[in-house]
Amino acid sequence: MPRTALNDLKLRSLPSPEKGQRDYWDTSLRGFGVRVSQGGTRTFVLNIDNGRRTIGRYGVISLSEARTEAKRILAERTLGHVRPQNISFVQARDLFLQEKQATRRPSTYKGLKRFLYLYFPSRGLLNELTHAEVERRVGRIKAPSEKNHAIAAAKVFFTWCVKKRHLTDNPTVGLSLISRPSRSRVLSDDELKSIWVASSDLDLPQHFRTIVKLLMLTGQRRGEIAGLRSDHISNDKCTLPSTHTKNGRDHTFPLGALSIALLSAASTPEGLLFPARGRVNTPFNGWGKSKALLDEISGVTDWTLHDLRRTFATGLAEMGTPIHVVEKLLNHISGTTGGLVGVYQRHQYWPEQVQAVTAWDSRLQQLLKD
Protein backbone atom coordinates (compact mmCIF):
# COMPACT_ATOMS: atom_id res chain seq x y z
CA MET A 1 0.00 0.00 0.00
CA PRO A 2 1.58 3.31 -1.05
CA ARG A 3 2.38 5.85 1.65
CA THR A 4 2.84 9.53 0.96
CA ALA A 5 2.89 12.90 2.71
CA LEU A 6 -0.60 14.10 1.92
CA ASN A 7 -1.13 17.74 1.07
CA ASP A 8 -3.55 19.53 -1.25
CA LEU A 9 -1.13 19.54 -4.18
CA LYS A 10 -0.38 15.86 -3.73
CA LEU A 11 -4.08 15.02 -3.39
CA ARG A 12 -4.93 16.60 -6.71
CA SER A 13 -2.06 14.82 -8.49
CA LEU A 14 -2.70 11.27 -7.24
CA PRO A 15 -3.29 9.00 -10.27
CA SER A 16 -6.57 7.12 -10.65
CA PRO A 17 -6.38 3.33 -11.00
CA GLU A 18 -7.42 1.69 -14.25
CA LYS A 19 -9.91 -0.44 -12.32
CA GLY A 20 -11.56 -0.29 -8.91
CA GLN A 21 -10.03 1.83 -6.16
CA ARG A 22 -6.61 2.52 -4.66
CA ASP A 23 -5.67 3.68 -1.16
CA TYR A 24 -2.90 6.14 -0.38
CA TRP A 25 -1.86 6.36 3.28
CA ASP A 26 -0.61 9.47 5.01
CA THR A 27 2.91 9.33 6.45
CA SER A 28 2.15 11.86 9.19
CA LEU A 29 -0.96 10.19 10.72
CA ARG A 30 -1.05 6.42 10.95
CA GLY A 31 -4.22 4.85 9.56
CA PHE A 32 -5.36 8.02 7.78
CA GLY A 33 -5.49 8.11 4.01
CA VAL A 34 -7.42 8.78 0.85
CA ARG A 35 -9.12 6.34 -1.49
CA VAL A 36 -9.01 7.21 -5.19
CA SER A 37 -11.60 5.60 -7.45
CA GLN A 38 -11.36 4.74 -11.12
CA GLY A 39 -13.45 7.83 -11.87
CA GLY A 40 -11.13 10.13 -9.92
CA THR A 41 -13.22 10.57 -6.76
CA ARG A 42 -11.09 11.11 -3.66
CA THR A 43 -12.53 9.98 -0.33
CA PHE A 44 -10.82 10.33 3.05
CA VAL A 45 -10.76 7.09 5.09
CA LEU A 46 -9.45 5.93 8.45
CA ASN A 47 -8.22 2.40 9.09
CA ILE A 48 -9.54 1.54 12.56
CA ASP A 49 -10.83 -1.54 14.38
CA ASN A 50 -9.86 -3.83 11.48
CA GLY A 51 -11.96 -1.84 9.06
CA ARG A 52 -12.03 1.37 7.07
CA ARG A 53 -14.26 4.20 8.20
CA THR A 54 -15.25 6.78 5.61
CA ILE A 55 -14.71 10.37 6.75
CA GLY A 56 -15.82 12.35 3.73
CA ARG A 57 -15.20 13.24 0.11
CA TYR A 58 -12.42 15.64 -0.85
CA GLY A 59 -14.03 18.82 -2.09
CA VAL A 60 -16.90 18.49 0.34
CA ILE A 61 -14.46 18.58 3.26
CA SER A 62 -10.87 19.75 3.17
CA LEU A 63 -7.75 17.74 3.93
CA SER A 64 -7.29 19.72 7.15
CA GLU A 65 -10.87 18.99 8.29
CA ALA A 66 -10.55 15.30 7.44
CA ARG A 67 -7.26 14.97 9.33
CA THR A 68 -8.77 16.73 12.37
CA GLU A 69 -11.77 14.38 12.33
CA ALA A 70 -9.47 11.37 12.02
CA LYS A 71 -7.49 12.54 15.07
CA ARG A 72 -10.72 12.97 17.04
CA ILE A 73 -11.87 9.45 16.21
CA LEU A 74 -8.48 8.00 17.13
CA ALA A 75 -8.47 9.92 20.41
CA GLU A 76 -11.92 8.62 21.31
CA ARG A 77 -10.79 5.11 20.44
CA THR A 78 -7.78 5.49 22.72
CA LEU A 79 -9.79 6.98 25.59
CA GLY A 80 -12.45 4.30 25.29
CA HIS A 81 -15.43 6.61 24.86
CA VAL A 82 -17.29 8.37 22.09
CA ARG A 83 -18.30 12.00 22.18
CA PRO A 84 -21.80 12.32 20.77
CA GLN A 85 -22.35 14.61 17.84
CA ASN A 86 -24.31 17.81 18.30
CA ILE A 87 -27.36 16.83 16.26
CA SER A 88 -31.00 17.84 16.44
CA PHE A 89 -33.80 15.36 17.02
CA VAL A 90 -35.23 16.09 13.56
CA GLN A 91 -31.87 15.50 11.86
CA ALA A 92 -31.43 12.18 13.65
CA ARG A 93 -35.02 11.16 12.94
CA ASP A 94 -34.70 11.92 9.23
CA LEU A 95 -31.41 10.01 8.93
CA PHE A 96 -32.97 7.07 10.76
CA LEU A 97 -36.07 7.00 8.56
CA GLN A 98 -33.99 7.34 5.40
CA GLU A 99 -32.03 4.23 6.38
CA LYS A 100 -35.11 2.25 7.44
CA GLN A 101 -37.00 3.11 4.27
CA ALA A 102 -34.31 1.28 2.31
CA THR A 103 -34.08 -1.76 4.61
CA ARG A 104 -37.52 -2.36 6.13
CA ARG A 105 -40.87 -3.36 4.68
CA PRO A 106 -43.03 -0.39 3.62
CA SER A 107 -45.56 -1.06 6.38
CA THR A 108 -42.83 -1.15 9.04
CA TYR A 109 -41.30 2.06 7.74
CA LYS A 110 -44.67 3.82 7.71
CA GLY A 111 -45.33 2.73 11.29
CA LEU A 112 -41.97 4.02 12.53
CA LYS A 113 -42.48 7.30 10.72
CA ARG A 114 -46.00 7.76 12.06
CA PHE A 115 -45.08 7.25 15.72
CA LEU A 116 -41.90 9.34 15.63
CA TYR A 117 -43.70 12.24 13.95
CA LEU A 118 -46.84 12.00 16.07
CA TYR A 119 -45.48 11.62 19.60
CA PHE A 120 -41.98 13.09 19.62
CA PRO A 121 -40.62 16.66 19.33
CA SER A 122 -40.02 18.60 16.15
CA ARG A 123 -37.37 20.87 17.63
CA GLY A 124 -34.42 20.81 20.01
CA LEU A 125 -31.24 18.77 20.28
CA LEU A 126 -31.39 15.00 20.36
CA ASN A 127 -29.39 14.73 23.59
CA GLU A 128 -31.83 17.04 25.37
CA LEU A 129 -34.59 14.42 25.24
CA THR A 130 -34.42 12.72 28.64
CA HIS A 131 -35.92 9.47 29.89
CA ALA A 132 -38.45 11.46 31.93
CA GLU A 133 -39.54 13.41 28.84
CA VAL A 134 -39.94 10.25 26.72
CA GLU A 135 -41.92 8.61 29.53
CA ARG A 136 -44.13 11.70 29.83
CA ARG A 137 -44.84 11.77 26.11
CA VAL A 138 -45.85 8.12 25.82
CA GLY A 139 -47.77 8.43 29.09
CA ARG A 140 -50.20 10.77 27.37
CA ILE A 141 -51.30 8.00 24.98
CA LYS A 142 -54.52 6.42 26.24
CA ALA A 143 -54.93 3.32 24.06
CA PRO A 144 -52.66 0.49 25.30
CA SER A 145 -51.94 -0.81 21.80
CA GLU A 146 -51.05 2.64 20.51
CA LYS A 147 -48.83 3.24 23.53
CA ASN A 148 -46.98 -0.04 23.00
CA HIS A 149 -46.37 0.74 19.34
CA ALA A 150 -45.04 4.20 20.25
CA ILE A 151 -42.68 2.74 22.88
CA ALA A 152 -41.46 0.09 20.45
CA ALA A 153 -40.76 2.71 17.74
CA ALA A 154 -38.92 4.89 20.26
CA LYS A 155 -36.77 1.97 21.41
CA VAL A 156 -35.76 1.12 17.84
CA PHE A 157 -34.96 4.76 17.08
CA PHE A 158 -32.93 5.57 20.19
CA THR A 159 -31.04 2.27 20.01
CA TRP A 160 -30.08 3.23 16.47
CA CYS A 161 -28.98 6.68 17.72
CA VAL A 162 -26.64 5.08 20.26
CA LYS A 163 -25.29 2.65 17.68
CA LYS A 164 -24.61 5.55 15.29
CA ARG A 165 -22.98 7.46 18.19
CA HIS A 166 -25.40 10.35 18.10
CA LEU A 167 -26.10 9.56 21.78
CA THR A 168 -24.25 7.96 24.65
CA ASP A 169 -27.34 7.15 26.75
CA ASN A 170 -30.56 5.58 25.53
CA PRO A 171 -33.55 7.44 27.11
CA THR A 172 -35.84 4.43 26.56
CA VAL A 173 -33.82 2.10 28.81
CA GLY A 174 -36.18 0.93 31.57
CA LEU A 175 -39.26 1.83 29.54
CA SER A 176 -41.39 -1.32 29.24
CA LEU A 177 -44.29 -2.31 27.04
CA ILE A 178 -47.67 -2.62 28.71
CA SER A 179 -48.51 -6.23 29.43
CA ARG A 180 -51.78 -7.21 27.79
CA PRO A 181 -53.58 -10.52 28.31
CA SER A 182 -53.80 -12.73 25.25
CA ARG A 183 -57.21 -12.80 23.65
CA SER A 184 -59.03 -16.11 23.37
CA ARG A 185 -62.32 -14.95 21.87
CA VAL A 186 -63.83 -17.39 19.38
CA LEU A 187 -67.09 -16.31 17.80
CA SER A 188 -70.07 -18.64 17.93
CA ASP A 189 -72.00 -19.72 14.83
CA ASP A 190 -74.84 -17.35 15.74
CA GLU A 191 -72.37 -14.47 16.09
CA LEU A 192 -70.73 -15.29 12.76
CA LYS A 193 -74.12 -15.29 11.06
CA SER A 194 -75.10 -11.97 12.68
CA ILE A 195 -71.83 -10.34 11.62
CA TRP A 196 -72.13 -11.67 8.06
CA VAL A 197 -75.70 -10.43 7.70
CA ALA A 198 -74.80 -7.07 9.23
CA SER A 199 -71.85 -6.80 6.82
CA SER A 200 -74.35 -6.51 3.98
CA ASP A 201 -75.92 -3.37 5.49
CA LEU A 202 -75.57 -0.48 3.07
CA ASP A 203 -74.89 1.98 5.91
CA LEU A 204 -71.42 0.43 6.19
CA PRO A 205 -68.68 1.43 3.71
CA GLN A 206 -68.70 -0.90 0.72
CA HIS A 207 -65.03 -1.93 1.03
CA PHE A 208 -65.39 -2.59 4.75
CA ARG A 209 -68.38 -4.89 4.13
CA THR A 210 -66.37 -7.02 1.70
CA ILE A 211 -63.21 -7.05 3.85
CA VAL A 212 -65.08 -8.35 6.90
CA LYS A 213 -66.58 -11.21 4.92
CA LEU A 214 -63.20 -12.10 3.41
CA LEU A 215 -61.60 -12.10 6.86
CA MET A 216 -64.26 -14.57 7.99
CA LEU A 217 -63.75 -16.76 4.92
CA THR A 218 -59.95 -16.79 4.63
CA GLY A 219 -58.58 -16.27 8.13
CA GLN A 220 -56.01 -13.78 6.85
CA ARG A 221 -54.90 -10.63 8.67
CA ARG A 222 -56.83 -7.38 8.37
CA GLY A 223 -54.01 -5.45 6.69
CA GLU A 224 -53.34 -8.25 4.22
CA ILE A 225 -56.92 -8.29 2.96
CA ALA A 226 -57.25 -4.49 2.97
CA GLY A 227 -54.09 -4.25 0.86
CA LEU A 228 -55.13 -6.81 -1.77
CA ARG A 229 -54.33 -5.87 -5.34
CA SER A 230 -55.74 -7.21 -8.60
CA ASP A 231 -52.52 -9.02 -9.46
CA HIS A 232 -52.65 -10.95 -6.16
CA ILE A 233 -55.68 -12.90 -7.41
CA SER A 234 -55.43 -15.70 -9.96
CA ASN A 235 -58.61 -17.74 -10.54
CA ASP A 236 -59.15 -19.74 -7.33
CA LYS A 237 -56.06 -18.70 -5.37
CA CYS A 238 -54.52 -15.61 -3.84
CA THR A 239 -50.78 -14.89 -3.51
CA LEU A 240 -49.57 -12.29 -1.05
CA PRO A 241 -46.02 -11.06 -1.81
CA SER A 242 -43.42 -11.00 0.95
CA THR A 243 -43.75 -7.21 1.24
CA HIS A 244 -47.39 -7.70 2.16
CA THR A 245 -47.11 -10.33 4.92
CA LYS A 246 -46.18 -10.11 8.59
CA ASN A 247 -43.42 -12.73 8.42
CA GLY A 248 -41.90 -11.41 5.19
CA ARG A 249 -42.65 -14.57 3.17
CA ASP A 250 -44.79 -15.05 0.09
CA HIS A 251 -48.09 -16.66 0.97
CA THR A 252 -50.42 -18.45 -1.45
CA PHE A 253 -53.77 -19.76 -0.24
CA PRO A 254 -56.86 -21.19 -1.99
CA LEU A 255 -60.13 -19.33 -2.34
CA GLY A 256 -63.56 -20.83 -1.78
CA ALA A 257 -66.64 -20.09 -3.86
CA LEU A 258 -67.87 -17.29 -1.59
CA SER A 259 -64.47 -15.57 -1.62
CA ILE A 260 -64.21 -15.82 -5.39
CA ALA A 261 -67.65 -14.23 -5.78
CA LEU A 262 -66.76 -11.36 -3.44
CA LEU A 263 -63.42 -10.70 -5.14
CA SER A 264 -64.98 -10.85 -8.61
CA ALA A 265 -67.43 -8.15 -7.59
CA ALA A 266 -64.58 -6.01 -6.22
CA SER A 267 -62.28 -6.60 -9.20
CA THR A 268 -60.50 -3.63 -10.78
CA PRO A 269 -58.24 -3.61 -13.88
CA GLU A 270 -55.21 -2.90 -11.69
CA GLY A 271 -54.19 -1.53 -8.31
CA LEU A 272 -55.81 -1.85 -4.90
CA LEU A 273 -59.12 -3.67 -4.62
CA PHE A 274 -60.09 -1.78 -1.46
CA PRO A 275 -58.58 1.73 -1.55
CA ALA A 276 -59.25 4.39 1.06
CA ARG A 277 -61.79 7.02 0.16
CA GLY A 278 -60.25 9.49 -2.31
CA ARG A 279 -56.80 7.83 -2.11
CA VAL A 280 -56.33 5.20 -4.78
CA ASN A 281 -52.86 4.17 -3.56
CA THR A 282 -53.77 3.81 0.13
CA PRO A 283 -55.60 0.72 1.46
CA PHE A 284 -58.90 1.11 3.30
CA ASN A 285 -58.27 2.58 6.76
CA GLY A 286 -61.62 3.64 8.20
CA TRP A 287 -61.66 0.86 10.78
CA GLY A 288 -62.81 2.56 13.98
CA LYS A 289 -66.14 4.08 12.95
CA SER A 290 -66.95 1.18 10.62
CA LYS A 291 -66.34 -1.45 13.30
CA ALA A 292 -68.41 0.46 15.86
CA LEU A 293 -71.32 0.68 13.42
CA LEU A 294 -70.97 -3.02 12.58
CA ASP A 295 -71.23 -3.88 16.29
CA GLU A 296 -74.36 -1.75 16.56
CA ILE A 297 -76.02 -3.34 13.52
CA SER A 298 -75.02 -6.93 14.32
CA GLY A 299 -75.60 -6.78 18.08
CA VAL A 300 -72.27 -8.62 18.59
CA THR A 301 -69.95 -6.88 21.05
CA ASP A 302 -66.59 -7.42 22.73
CA TRP A 303 -64.85 -8.77 19.66
CA THR A 304 -62.14 -7.65 17.24
CA LEU A 305 -61.61 -8.28 13.56
CA HIS A 306 -58.59 -10.41 14.48
CA ASP A 307 -60.97 -12.72 16.37
CA LEU A 308 -62.26 -13.79 12.95
CA ARG A 309 -58.81 -15.26 12.25
CA ARG A 310 -58.85 -17.22 15.51
CA THR A 311 -62.40 -18.37 14.81
CA PHE A 312 -61.37 -19.55 11.33
CA ALA A 313 -58.48 -21.60 12.77
CA THR A 314 -60.63 -23.03 15.56
CA GLY A 315 -63.44 -23.92 13.17
CA LEU A 316 -61.09 -25.79 10.86
CA ALA A 317 -59.63 -27.72 13.79
CA GLU A 318 -63.13 -28.66 14.94
CA MET A 319 -63.81 -30.09 11.46
CA GLY A 320 -60.71 -32.28 11.68
CA THR A 321 -58.24 -30.23 9.64
CA PRO A 322 -54.66 -31.18 10.62
CA ILE A 323 -52.75 -28.45 12.47
CA HIS A 324 -50.00 -28.27 9.82
CA VAL A 325 -52.64 -27.50 7.17
CA VAL A 326 -54.20 -24.79 9.34
CA GLU A 327 -50.75 -23.24 9.84
CA LYS A 328 -50.16 -23.24 6.09
CA LEU A 329 -53.45 -21.43 5.54
CA LEU A 330 -52.59 -18.87 8.24
CA ASN A 331 -49.00 -18.43 7.00
CA HIS A 332 -47.64 -19.34 10.42
CA ILE A 333 -43.97 -20.30 10.79
CA SER A 334 -44.13 -22.07 14.11
CA GLY A 335 -45.00 -25.36 15.72
CA THR A 336 -45.22 -28.07 13.09
CA THR A 337 -43.81 -25.87 10.30
CA GLY A 338 -41.05 -24.04 12.18
CA GLY A 339 -37.40 -24.72 12.93
CA LEU A 340 -35.70 -27.45 10.91
CA VAL A 341 -39.06 -28.63 9.62
CA GLY A 342 -39.63 -25.22 8.05
CA VAL A 343 -36.21 -25.33 6.39
CA TYR A 344 -36.42 -28.83 4.90
CA GLN A 345 -40.14 -29.49 4.58
CA ARG A 346 -41.30 -27.51 1.55
CA HIS A 347 -44.47 -29.47 0.77
CA GLN A 348 -47.38 -27.04 0.66
CA TYR A 349 -50.23 -29.53 1.30
CA TRP A 350 -52.18 -27.76 -1.44
CA PRO A 351 -54.93 -30.40 -1.92
CA GLU A 352 -55.43 -30.46 1.87
CA GLN A 353 -55.62 -26.65 1.96
CA VAL A 354 -58.22 -26.63 -0.82
CA GLN A 355 -60.24 -29.30 0.99
CA ALA A 356 -60.16 -27.32 4.25
CA VAL A 357 -61.19 -24.02 2.63
CA THR A 358 -63.98 -25.73 0.68
CA ALA A 359 -65.31 -27.32 3.88
CA TRP A 360 -65.20 -24.00 5.75
CA ASP A 361 -66.92 -22.24 2.84
CA SER A 362 -69.67 -24.88 2.84
CA ARG A 363 -70.11 -24.59 6.59
CA LEU A 364 -70.63 -20.83 6.36
CA GLN A 365 -73.04 -21.21 3.42
CA GLN A 366 -75.07 -23.72 5.43
CA LEU A 367 -74.95 -21.43 8.47
CA LEU A 368 -76.44 -18.60 6.45
CA LYS A 369 -79.28 -20.85 5.25
CA ASP A 370 -80.31 -21.98 8.75
Side-chain angles (χ1 to χ4, degrees), residues 313-326:
T314 303
L316 290 181
E318 289 174 348
M319 292 189 299
T321 306
I323 184 62
H324 58 269
V325 177
V326 177

Side-chain angles (χ1 to χ4, degrees), residues 84-300:
Q85 300 177 24
N86 192 21
I87 187 173
S88 72
F89 176 86
V90 170
Q91 287 174 315
R93 180 196 66 197
D94 292 348
L95 287 171
F96 167 78
L97 291 174
Q98 182 179 359
E99 179 180 303
K100 297 308 175 187
Q101 187 174 24
T103 59
R104 298 292 186 91
R105 290 186 298 160
S107 59
T108 302
Y109 164 74
K110 289 179 182 178
L112 291 169
K113 182 177 180 180
R114 174 178 177 269
F115 289 108
L116 290 178
Y117 268 81
L118 189 58
Y119 296 117
F120 293 93
S122 58
R123 61 184 65 187
L125 294 176
L126 178 67
N127 58 17
E128 293 176 343
L129 197 59
T130 64
H131 172 83
E133 175 64 12
V134 173
E135 192 171 35
R136 185 179 67 82
R137 286 177 175 274
V138 298
R140 296 173 178 171
I141 306 172
K142 301 300 183 184
S145 177
E146 182 83 351
K147 182 177 292 188
N148 277 345
H149 284 304
I151 292 172
K155 283 181 172 291
V156 173
F157 169 65
F158 285 110
T159 299
W160 177 90
C161 289
V162 173
K163 180 180 178 181
K164 294 296 183 179
R165 300 182 176 178
H166 298 312
L167 285 176
T168 54
D169 296 315
N170 188 333
T172 62
V173 170
L175 199 62
S176 301
L177 300 178
I178 300 171
S179 177
R180 302 177 66 194
S182 299
R183 289 187 61 86
S184 58
R185 180 88 153 89
V186 175
L187 297 163
S188 68
D189 285 354
D190 287 343
E191 288 175 324
L192 284 177
K193 181 176 181 179
S194 296
I195 292 169
W196 181 283
V197 172
S199 295
S200 300
D201 194 295
L202 297 181
D203 287 338
L204 290 166
Q206 178 181 354
H207 291 336
F208 181 76
R209 300 198 304 266
T210 306
I211 290 171
V212 170
K213 291 178 179 178
L214 288 172
L215 293 177
M216 192 182 298
L217 289 164
T218 67
Q220 304 307 306
R221 295 179 176 89
R222 183 183 79 173
E224 294 168 348
I225 295 299
L228 281 179
R229 304 180 67 87
S230 299
D231 55 4
H232 294 169
I233 312 300
S234 177
N235 299 322
D236 59 352
K237 66 181 179 181
C238 175
T239 298
L240 303 176
S242 59
T243 54
H244 198 65
T245 61
K246 184 178 180 179
N247 60 22
R249 294 194 179 191
D250 291 349
H251 176 42
T252 299
F253 58 93
L255 298 169
L258 288 175
S259 296
I260 293 171
L262 289 168
L263 289 167
S264 297
S267 179
T268 57
E270 59 182 17
L272 289 168
L273 294 179
F274 310 114
R277 181 181 298 178
R279 303 178 67 181
V280 295
N281 295 319
T282 300
F284 176 84
N285 53 20
W287 305 107
K289 291 182 179 180
S290 300
K291 172 61 166 56
L293 182 56
L294 176 60
D295 288 359
E296 181 181 338
I297 297 171
S298 67
V300 182

Side-chain angles (χ1 to χ4, degrees), residues 345-361:
Q345 173 58 278
R346 295 299 184 181
H347 182 54
Q348 296 300 309
Y349 301 101
W350 186 255
E352 294 87 345
Q353 289 190 62
V354 172
Q355 182 180 0
V357 167
T358 302
W360 179 248
D361 193 282

